[in-house]
Amino acid sequence: MFDPQYYPYASRRHLVYGHRGMVASSHPLATQAGLKILHEGGNAVDAALATAAALTVVDPANNGVGGDCFAIVSMKGEKLAGLNSSGFSPALLTRERVKAEGFDRIPKQGWLPVTVPGAPAGWAALHERYATRPMAELFAPAIELTQGYALSPDNAPILNHFTKVFDGKPLLDEWVKAFNPNKKIFRAGDLFAPVQMGDTLRRLAESDCRDLYEGELAMTIDAYSRRTNGTLRAEDLAAYAPRWVEPVGTSFRGYEVWELPPNGQGMTALIALNVLDALPLHGADPVEKVHMQMEAVKLAFADALHYIADPAFMRIPAQQLLSKEYAKSRAALITDEAKVYAHGSPLKGDTVYFCCADGQGNSISMIQSLYQGFGSGVTIPGTGICLQDRGACFSMQPGHANEAAPRKYPYHTIIPGFLTRDGQPVGPFGIMGGYMQPQAHTQVMVHLLDEGLNPQAALDAPRFCWNEGLKFDLEPGFNPAVVDALRRRGHEISVITGGQYGRGQIIARAGEGESWVGATEPRADGSVIGF
């Protein structure tokens, strides 16, 4: 499938191998939490739940108890299973209320963008169906981390930034009380102890996460929302349940690439891959190859941003968007010149992706998010719970499939991925990063399956990010001659270091299928460990 010693891009990371299990995440301490569970005999889902809980503590800006999660699970001898644990809007959210509060679009902060937290309910659903260890045991590493851990070079400046942003603002200053009450200037290596989160995680572990939906945490959220003119109510929390769904997929270069169906945007990557499958991509020169990928991504978003929404409100069946014949007609629109296929201004977001595998052949692809940094900024007093701002993804356009409405699921950006070949599991993959995610999925799959790069090299390769219209950000790793040629074709390109290019992980079957090989993102603090 690939050369494990060929690394054509600058990177300080190499493939990691293991046969008894593997964990890959965006933070070393979270990876260790999952690995501890594997060492103690837990399976891949047990490890994923331990990793998920730990990530809420060590990467709190990007994910948390107040956010959502999605997963694709591969258990030996079973078909792939998908979990959509995204929350719906409160019953009090209407277009009229948004307008009455003076907004033409749903803002990113405050109560208006808040949707019901889905992550804890998703953890409970995974635990009930697949786990072998008590939830208290799985959450123990995360709870221990709330007593203090050394901040990474990525997370210290994030805490400093949001201290400045939230301090002194009505409603948002509860965040400061929970995460930085002394208004300290953090540096890498400083100890950080979000102790309120420890009590919340303990409550969740003891109640199989029901406390957030029916217990004291639910009542605390309801009371704070009422006191501060919020939209979320205990009735919204009690009415919520995650959904088990069938993954959707497409074929590409002899493999099957799987994503979750709407309301998530995973189909955007599949649409782009279908368009590329209809083009002479393989063996194309470097300029043509990048150009085709850029145009395929724009075509995919043209459809995704128009059609993808809460499935109950979609105007066409999801599978219709994945038709190979339809992809051929869309591919025929691509010429040598850059084009604008539709309006759209993709937003940016913050997420964590992780994956786990065990020695029995089970694996899981999982992702969770608060959307923007620390979500809506609304922090429930005494709990360390930041509520997500996923409602900012709703449209305010009357009649749009994704129009804001009560108890409705918004267009969702977080997407776990999975690979199979001839119906047999290969392994999980994913790249976080708001609207960058399907773009990164597409590019990494091209590197991995079309070009035959190994998983680490596929993650190392420089990426582009479409913003809107003809505008793209490119990483500096692209050949300057290729960048110049793309500009001559009409692409409006900015070469930016440290932009929104996503952060990913991959675990795949290795050798004769009895071992695992893992790769992790060089753009983050992540780690992959196998044993």
Side-chain angles (χ1 to χ4, degrees):
M1 177 183 175
F2 55 76
D3 184 345
Q5 295 179 317
Y6 177 60
Y7 298 94
Y9 303 104
S11 175
R12 287 174 284 181
R13 304 190 180 206
H14 288 77
L15 295 171
V16 172
Y17 286 83
H19 74 283
R20 293 179 57 194
M22 186 168 286
V23 180
S25 86
S26 56
H27 198 289
L29 294 176
T31 301
Q32 290 175 41
L35 194 71
K36 179 178 185 292
I37 299 301
L38 287 178
H39 271 294
E40 294 173 353
N43 66 18
V45 175
D46 291 318
L49 291 171
T51 305
L55 280 166
T56 69
V57 180
V58 298
D59 201 354
N62 292 328
N63 74 127
V65 169
D68 287 341
C69 75
F70 288 65
I72 299 177
V73 185
S74 172
M75 300 299 282
K76 190 173 183 180
E78 300 181 17
K79 58 189 277 189
L80 289 180
L83 178 70
N84 180 328
S85 203
S86 61
F88 48 59
S89 57
L92 293 176
L93 181 71
T94 63
R95 284 186 69 257
E96 292 71 26
R97 175 158 182 166
V98 176
K99 290 282 190 179
E101 294 196 19
F103 296 99
D104 292 325
R105 60 184 302 173
I106 297 178
K108 298 174 184 177
Q109 293 177 347
W111 278 110
L112 287 176
V114 169
T115 52
V116 172
W123 300 340
L126 288 166
H127 187 265
E128 179 182 13
R129 190 163 177 174
Y130 297 116
T132 66
R133 294 290 190 271
M135 195 169 283
E137 180 181 329
L138 303 181
F139 281 20
I143 293 171
E144 182 179 352
L145 286 167
T146 65
Q147 301 306 303
Y149 64 90
L151 285 171
S152 71
D154 274 359
N155 284 346
I158 289 174
L159 290 170
N160 296 336
H161 170 75
F162 282 99
T163 299
K164 292 179 181 178
V165 171
F166 293 158
D167 186 31
K169 291 186 178 179
L171 189 64
L172 304 182
D173 58 4
E174 283 294 338
W175 179 93
V176 180
K177 297 176 186 177
F179 290 95
N180 193 6
N182 296 322
K183 302 177 186 178
K184 177 178 178 179
I185 303 298
F186 288 107
R187 293 177 174 81
D190 287 350
L191 289 183
F192 178 62
V195 292
Q196 291 183 5
M197 295 178 67
D199 293 334
T200 294
L201 289 170
R202 196 173 291 108
R203 284 185 178 277
L204 293 177
E206 291 171 352
S207 66
D208 289 332
C209 295
R210 292 312 305 168
D211 197 79
L212 183 71
Y213 302 95
E214 298 172 341
E216 187 171 331
L217 287 173
M219 295 303 104
T220 302
I221 292 171
D222 180 274
Y224 186 60
S225 179
R226 291 176 187 273
R227 191 166 72 248
T228 56
N229 194 34
T231 52
L232 193 59
R233 294 291 184 266
E235 294 81 6
D236 298 313
L237 296 166
Y240 179 73
R243 297 165 288 163
W244 290 102
V245 297
E246 293 274 348
V248 292
T250 194
S251 58
F252 187 73
R253 304 297 186 262
Y255 289 80
E256 300 88 41
V257 184
W258 297 94
E259 304 275 358
L260 292 186
N263 54 312
Q265 66 171 347
M267 288 201 337
T268 313
L270 302 181
I271 295 168
L273 289 173
N274 277 346
V275 170
L276 291 172
D277 203 32
L279 295 169
L281 181 73
H282 190 70
D285 69 70
V287 175
E288 186 68 17
K289 194 158 200 169
V290 177
H291 171 73
M292 284 189 281
Q293 291 179 72
M294 287 177 160
E295 298 299 283
V297 161
K298 287 189 290 183
L299 280 166
F301 270 117
D303 283 335
L305 293 172
H306 184 73
Y307 291 112
I308 291 177
D310 183 327
F313 293 84
M314 286 182 63
R315 298 188 176 91
I316 63 170
Q319 286 293 345
Q320 190 172 329
L321 290 171
L322 298 181
S323 162
K324 292 284 189 179
E325 287 303 311
Y326 177 64
K328 289 179 182 178
S329 69
R330 299 292 278 170
L333 300 174
I334 297 176
T335 66
D336 290 343
E337 295 296 318
K339 294 181 181 179
V340 175
Y341 301 97
H343 296 288
S345 181
L347 306 172
K348 300 184 187 302
D350 296 302
T351 305
V352 291
Y353 172 80
F354 52 101
C355 46
C356 303
D358 61 34
Q360 287 71 53
N362 308 311
S363 59
I364 178 171
S365 179
M366 192 164 174
I367 193 163
Q368 54 193 36
S369 174
L370 287 171
Y371 192 37
Q372 309 292 324
F374 287 103
S376 65
V378 176
T379 304
I380 306 304
T383 69
I385 297 174
C386 298
L387 296 174
Q388 64 186 345
D389 60 339
R390 189 57 63 176
C393 291
F394 279 123
S395 170
M396 287 289 285
Q397 179 184 337
H400 194 284
N402 189 43
E403 179 186 357
R407 295 282 176 90
K408 185 176 181 180
Y409 297 94
Y411 179 105
H412 217 291
T413 61
I414 64 176
I415 52 174
F418 203 93
L419 274 178
T420 62
R421 187 168 194 176
D422 299 327
Q424 297 303 306
V426 174
F429 73 91
I431 301 97
M432 54 72 72
Y435 283 84
M436 177 63 195
Q437 290 178 65
Q439 304 187 56
H441 280 211
T442 301
Q443 294 171 71
V444 169
M445 288 301 100
V446 168
H447 293 312
L448 189 70
L449 305 181
D450 182 77
E451 299 171 1
L453 295 182
N454 69 55
Q456 185 60 58
L459 289 176
D460 293 342
R463 297 178 193 146
F464 62 76
C465 176
W466 175 63
N467 293 312
E468 61 179 348
L470 301 175
K471 296 179 181 178
F472 283 87
D473 293 337
L474 267 66
E475 288 190 291
F478 281 92
N479 185 324
V482 171
V483 176
D484 287 343
L486 292 170
R487 284 176 173 147
R488 289 195 296 274
R489 291 187 178 214
H491 297 288
E492 298 175 9
I493 292 174
S494 299
V495 178
I496 297 176
T497 300
Q500 178 70 292
Y501 300 113
R503 299 175 176 184
Q505 327 288 335
I506 300 173
I507 294 177
R509 276 304 196 181
E512 297 179 351
E514 297 178 353
S515 299
W516 298 101
V517 60
T520 189
E521 183 64 60
R523 299 165 183 83
D525 292 330
S527 67
V528 55
I529 305 176
F531 74 110

